[in-house]
Amino acid sequence: MQCINGLFGSPFEGLRTSYKANMSSKEEVLRIARLARIEINENEVEEVQKKFSSVLEKFNSLNALNTEGVEPMFYSQDKMNPRNDVPEPAISNEELMKNAPDSSDGCFRIPKVVGAVE
Amino acid sequence: MSAQELLASSTDKIRRALDQGEVTSVQLTEAALERAHQTNEKTNAFISFCDESAIKEAKAADERIKAGEKNPVLGIPIALKDLILTHGHKSTAASRMLENFIPPYDATVTAKLKKDGAPIFGKTNLDEFAMGSSNETSFFGEVKNPWNLDRVPGGSSGGSAAAVAARVSPFSLGTDTGGSIRQPSSLCGITGIKPTYGRVSRYGVVAFASSLDQVGPMCSDALGCAAVLESISGKDVHDMTSRELKVPNYYENTLQYAKKDSLKGLRIGLPKEFFGPGLNEEVKKSIENALDFYRSEGAETVEVDLPHSKYSLATYYIVCTSEASSNLARYDGVHYGHRTERLTGNLEDLYARNRGEGFGAEVRLRILLGTFCLSSGYYDAYYKKASQVRTLMKKDFDAAFAKCDVIMGPTSPTTAFKIAEKMDDPVAMYLNDNYTLSTNLAGLPALSMNVGFDSQKLPIGMQIWAPWWKEDEILGLSHYYQNKNPDTVKGAPL
């Protein structure tokens, strides 16, 4: 993808332009909401879509920057310091169940799961 | 001086009064609780109070002080942003999702403050899940700025800022992901510092954006910040991003800094991008006056360039929403948190309703944005791209700090704006953080302190940034300024 960028301009650019029209469409917003497992009411969709697209427009300003060959930085630290993988006393089941919306016999209880999750 | 008057005075005075037995921790804590309850109707700075436990902790602190123990925070009451877990005491993140959540453990910063004997007397209000710059998105209602109750205190740590501005207590903790300690500190006229990323443990702090979040002090003065930072800093086995570095004696070092004869040799960098259009004239004037002070003390100023700072808004919001979408995926209403009463349907419906009902509008928007940025086909164009820009920004800072020792500039482009003024336009709201975002992206330490007031008597803040791990320099310079400009350190007339 990167060498193609250099020679012909980004094909992704073309892709992105045609996506742009769809990126903040109602269908796209609902698709993302499904991925995120968040319910959006019918009367809210337009408002969400408006805000979503105005922020996305701002995000697209990064397209102007050439970042070819730049290493991404995911943390400002260059090394992580994990602890040794040794089991230690943890919080009791009883304590942990106290915040459960519904529980029974030390287990979390949820409505019966029917139908497949897509 | 009464306990109330002491709480409104300098950290130095409070420390000495406690150590010399002129006041007890119980008296201070009772005074803090009284004023907190009294002012809360006006400011809504607090979500909950820890009346009983705070007095118990204060009594224990008094025993330790009597026994001669010396510790900068011992006995001084402190309020914690309600994003920070307190064992056995409701911690809500200002969200319906965690409205009744009672943590089964303390955050590391909570445990450290308890160990050092600072009574924790209340949990302060914030923007929901720390997402906001005005403290208007809280499920428990907006916070009002004590300097003018029609105005916002800033966010997301608006409650902590308001509590300290109203001199309920001189100490509080906030968190800063994109400016959430510094911007409200600026709008409320107090001092707040975001430490270097990795200086303070994030264990037990509700995560927003894990590569950006930091806990930090928000206090009435720099010395207070130094005291609290000394207590909460340090390597934690529970947070692998916390660094194994000896914690400096921030309190003592900061006190000593003010004794310097002059600041000759200090080079202060001024990013030209931060003094251009968008910056309010009165804010600019106060900053210039503060810089003139430092120049008159022997420091020199030099222009520096942060060419990628104009991309910081886009970069920050791509990164933080992406990380937030991942961090907030845990809130599904199964093990804890809000569960819907509409229980028909399948598991996916359950999740969607729990989360749709549990999260406020801004949180939902940001999760959607982040989900989009990380989704298949868009990851490279957004999240990876933004992460590459972070590298470019870090390089800008490396170059800038080759020319100067610290960087100074405005915290917020304006003073406190009116409540509801920016709620409909997310980008306008996000622009409030323009001067603070890049330091989170780079992981740098940064402080905001009050440098004056505008014609509406609203506070104006200035930032001091330093290279990684140099909180000492920042705190020292701030204390030096406050020592010679005591008029800038005052509580709101509430």
Side-chain angles (χ1 to χ4, degrees):
Chain A
M1 185 95 109
Q2 284 187 321
C3 59
I4 293 173
N5 273 2
L7 285 175
F8 302 116
S10 170
F12 203 81
E13 196 59 52
L15 214 67
R16 209 176 294 132
T17 314
S18 73
Y19 267 132
K20 240 196 223 172
N22 298 329
M23 236 176 343
S24 40
S25 68
K26 183 174 169 179
E27 289 69 38
E28 185 66 4
V29 170
L30 289 173
R31 177 185 85 88
I32 299 296
R34 242 186 112 213
L35 277 179
R37 301 291 190 264
I38 293 185
E39 178 185 57
I40 307 186
N41 295 322
E42 264 310 306
N43 57 354
E44 285 180 301
V45 183
E46 203 180 310
E47 181 68 27
V48 172
Q49 185 192 348
K50 208 173 74 176
K51 290 184 173 173
F52 191 79
S53 76
S54 85
V55 178
L56 263 191
E57 211 179 291
K58 198 73 194 163
F59 286 2
N60 289 333
S61 68
L62 291 192
N63 295 342
L65 258 184
N66 181 2
T67 51
E68 201 173 311
V70 178
E71 270 305 300
M73 182 169 97
F74 300 115
Y75 278 89
S76 58
Q77 301 264 34
D78 50 10
K79 54 180 176 180
M80 295 295 176
N81 311 291
R83 63 180 178 277
N84 294 327
D85 189 12
V86 173
E88 353 172 291
I91 304 170
S92 72
N93 259 42
E94 198 193 322
E95 179 99 52
L96 288 173
M97 297 306 294
K98 281 183 182 164
N99 286 296
D102 192 5
S103 64
S104 167
D105 293 329
C107 298
F108 298 103
R109 191 157 61 180
I110 61 167
K112 189 170 176 186
V113 176
V114 274
V117 175
E118 281 137 68
Chain B
M1 251 199 224
S2 71
Q4 186 54 75
E5 282 165 342
L6 253 183
L7 283 178
S9 71
S10 69
T11 299
D12 194 30
K13 280 205 178 79
I14 301 169
R15 185 74 265 144
R16 276 186 281 127
L18 274 168
D19 288 342
Q20 285 161 18
E22 288 160 17
V23 76
T24 64
S25 177
V26 169
Q27 285 169 327
L28 287 178
T29 306
E30 278 174 349
L33 280 163
E34 191 186 325
R35 185 152 170 82
H37 283 286
Q38 212 175 55
T39 53
N40 215 41
E41 225 178 87
K42 291 203 174 123
T43 63
N44 200 27
F46 286 85
I47 291 177
S48 65
F49 301 96
C50 316
D51 302 70
E52 261 184 58
S53 57
I55 300 299
K56 269 205 195 90
E57 288 165 12
K59 285 188 176 141
D62 280 329
E63 295 302 309
R64 290 165 68 173
I65 294 172
K66 252 199 249 149
E69 187 177 333
K70 296 279 176 271
N71 182 309
V73 301
L74 179 58
I76 302 180
I78 187 167
L80 265 50
K81 182 175 184 178
D82 208 19
L83 203 62
I84 300 169
L85 300 192
T86 40
H87 186 187
H89 184 93
K90 199 170 66 153
S91 302
T92 66
S95 179
R96 188 180 183 196
M97 180 57 80
L98 294 175
E99 194 183 350
N100 297 306
F101 180 70
I102 302 188
Y105 66 102
D106 275 329
T108 295
V109 294
T110 307
K112 280 177 178 280
L113 285 168
K114 284 182 179 176
K115 180 161 171 285
D116 286 337
I120 296 166
F121 72 96
K123 307 300 294 295
T124 56
N125 207 343
L126 60 148
D127 276 304
E128 187 182 358
F129 279 101
M131 299 183 192
S133 312
S134 62
N135 216 138
E136 293 176 283
T137 67
S138 167
F139 178 64
F140 300 100
E142 67 218 3
V143 174
K144 315 255 169 62
N145 192 320
W147 291 93
N148 182 325
L149 298 171
D150 291 330
R151 307 257 170 172
V152 302
S156 62
S157 313
S160 288
V164 174
R167 293 299 190 259
V168 165
S169 151
F171 286 2
S172 76
L173 277 192
T175 66
D176 192 312
T177 304
S180 291
I181 283 175
R182 293 162 286 155
Q183 188 254 18
S185 294
S186 172
L187 269 48
C188 286
I190 66 167
T191 310
I193 179 168
K194 179 198 86 68
T196 309
Y197 182 86
R199 176 64 85 184
V200 177
S201 169
R202 290 173 301 107
Y203 180 73
V205 181
V206 174
F208 163 16
S210 305
S211 79
L212 304 171
D213 293 344
Q214 269 293 280
V215 183
M218 295 171 71
C219 302
S220 52
D221 54 25
L223 196 59
C225 286
V228 174
L229 189 62
E230 191 172 318
S231 175
I232 63 174
S233 296
K235 169 80 188 145
D236 179 17
V237 290
H238 297 294
D239 176 0
M240 71 174 182
T241 62
S242 67
R243 280 291 278 268
E244 184 84 63
L245 280 173
K246 184 174 182 305
V247 179
N249 298 334
Y250 287 124
Y251 188 76
E252 199 47 50
N253 296 351
T254 301
L255 265 175
Q256 293 307 317
Y257 204 104
K259 298 184 181 162
K260 282 186 189 227
D261 286 327
S262 92
L263 298 177
K264 196 159 183 321
L266 178 75
R267 297 165 304 162
I268 300 173
L270 304 177
K272 66 175 200 268
E273 292 83 2
F274 286 9
F275 290 88
L279 180 61
N280 173 280
E281 277 308 311
E282 288 186 273
V283 171
K284 191 173 183 185
K285 184 113 205 325
S286 283
I287 309 277
E288 286 293 344
N289 289 343
L291 293 170
D292 281 338
F293 164 78
Y294 282 114
R295 287 184 192 109
S296 71
E297 295 288 314
E300 64 169 282
T301 55
V302 51
E303 191 179 82
V304 294
D305 205 2
L306 298 173
H308 293 94
S309 58
K310 65 177 181 275
Y311 299 107
S312 52
L313 194 92
T315 307
Y316 170 78
Y317 276 97
I318 290 172
V319 171
C320 82
T321 56
S322 299
E323 295 185 5
S325 72
S326 173
N327 279 325
L328 270 65
R330 72 192 68 183
Y331 302 107
D332 56 14
V334 171
H335 313 88
Y336 55 89
H338 175 78
R339 186 178 292 187
T340 181
E341 286 176 7
R342 294 177 287 150
L343 296 172
T344 54
N346 60 23
L347 186 60
E348 194 183 314
D349 293 326
L350 180 73
Y351 288 150
R353 287 169 195 158
N354 291 343
R355 291 160 63 78
E357 292 169 13
F359 293 136
E362 182 63 28
V363 172
R364 278 179 280 139
L365 177 67
R366 294 202 194 191
I367 293 174
L368 293 177
L369 286 163
T371 305
F372 174 82
C373 289
L374 292 175
S375 65
S376 169
Y378 294 110
Y379 175 91
D380 277 2
Y382 291 101
Y383 187 69
K384 184 171 168 208
K385 180 90 180 180
S387 304
Q388 288 172 307
V389 179
R390 270 181 97 167
T391 302
L392 296 176
M393 283 178 164
K394 181 173 182 291
K395 290 198 168 123
D396 283 356
F397 281 116
D398 286 334
F401 282 124
K403 291 168 74 177
C404 64
D405 305 301
V406 295
I407 288 174
M408 294 190 186
T411 308
S412 167
T414 63
T415 53
F417 45 93
K418 292 213 172 95
I419 290 171
E421 193 180 306
K422 302 195 184 187
M423 278 304 271
D424 287 330
D425 183 354
V427 177
M429 184 65 88
Y430 298 165
L431 281 166
N432 286 311
D433 296 324
N434 234 2
Y435 301 134
T436 52
L437 303 171
S438 44
T439 35
N440 295 86
L441 291 164
L444 289 173
L447 168 147
S448 177
M449 66 178 183
N450 188 48
V451 292
F453 298 85
D454 72 3
S455 50
Q456 316 249 28
K457 302 205 168 80
L458 297 167
I460 294 169
M462 182 176 90
Q463 286 192 88
I464 306 177
W465 303 347
W468 296 267
W469 315 110
K470 299 258 196 255
E471 287 86 347
D472 258 338
E473 195 67 25
I474 295 176
L475 290 164
L477 277 170
S478 176
H479 178 57
Y480 188 98
Y481 174 87
Q482 291 175 343
N483 205 32
K484 298 202 175 182
N485 296 276
D487 277 348
T488 60
V489 181
K490 59 185 183 195
L494 186 69

